Amino acid sequence: YKPTYKNLIQMIGDGNNIYDEEKNITICVYNSVNIIEEHIKNFDKIFVDEAHHVIAENIWGQLKIIFPNSRIIGLTATPGSTP
């Protein structure tokens, strides 16, 4: 953790419902994607934690539709899992 980066990062969800375009990094819980959806032009990379849970039927499975111009990177630490 670097305190100098604190002003560059925002958390969306869990009661934090205001998107700030001035922030460089946005951390968003999956059920709050609707809050950032209108700002899709601002996202060039999206990192998905627990990506082995991504399926087409859930919101994360629809990321390429919601964020068509973003590179999506899936992360998982579960052995033998592939998104």
Side-chain angles (χ1 to χ4, degrees), residues 7-24:
N7 292 332
L8 302 175
I9 301 170
Q10 66 182 318
M11 173 72 180
I12 301 293
D14 293 333
N16 301 315
N17 300 322
I18 299 173
Y19 177 78
D20 182 351
E21 288 189 11
E22 299 298 315
K23 303 290 183 177
N24 292 345

Side-chain angles (χ1 to χ4, degrees), residues 37-55:
E37 194 170 355
E38 68 183 73
H39 305 283
I40 59 173
K41 68 185 182 314
N42 298 337
F43 294 91
D44 57 333
K45 292 181 198 74
I46 297 173
F47 294 87
V48 178
D49 191 20
E50 299 291 326
H52 58 279
H53 292 292
V54 173
I55 57 174

Side-chain angles (χ1 to χ4, degrees), residues 26-81:
T26 300
I27 300 169
C28 181
V29 297
Y30 72 92
N31 57 348
S32 297
V33 169
N34 62 320
I35 296 169
I36 61 171
E37 194 170 355
E38 68 183 73
H39 305 283
I40 59 173
K41 68 185 182 314
N42 298 337
F43 294 91
D44 57 333
K45 292 181 198 74
I46 297 173
F47 294 87
V48 178
D49 191 20
E50 299 291 326
H52 58 279
H53 292 292
V54 173
I55 57 174
E57 292 80 24
N58 67 25
I59 187 70
W60 291 117
Q62 300 296 315
L63 281 175
K64 271 313 238 185
I65 295 168
I66 297 170
F67 301 100
N69 299 317
S70 300
R71 174 168 282 181
I72 300 171
I73 300 104
L75 307 168
T76 184
T78 302
S81 295

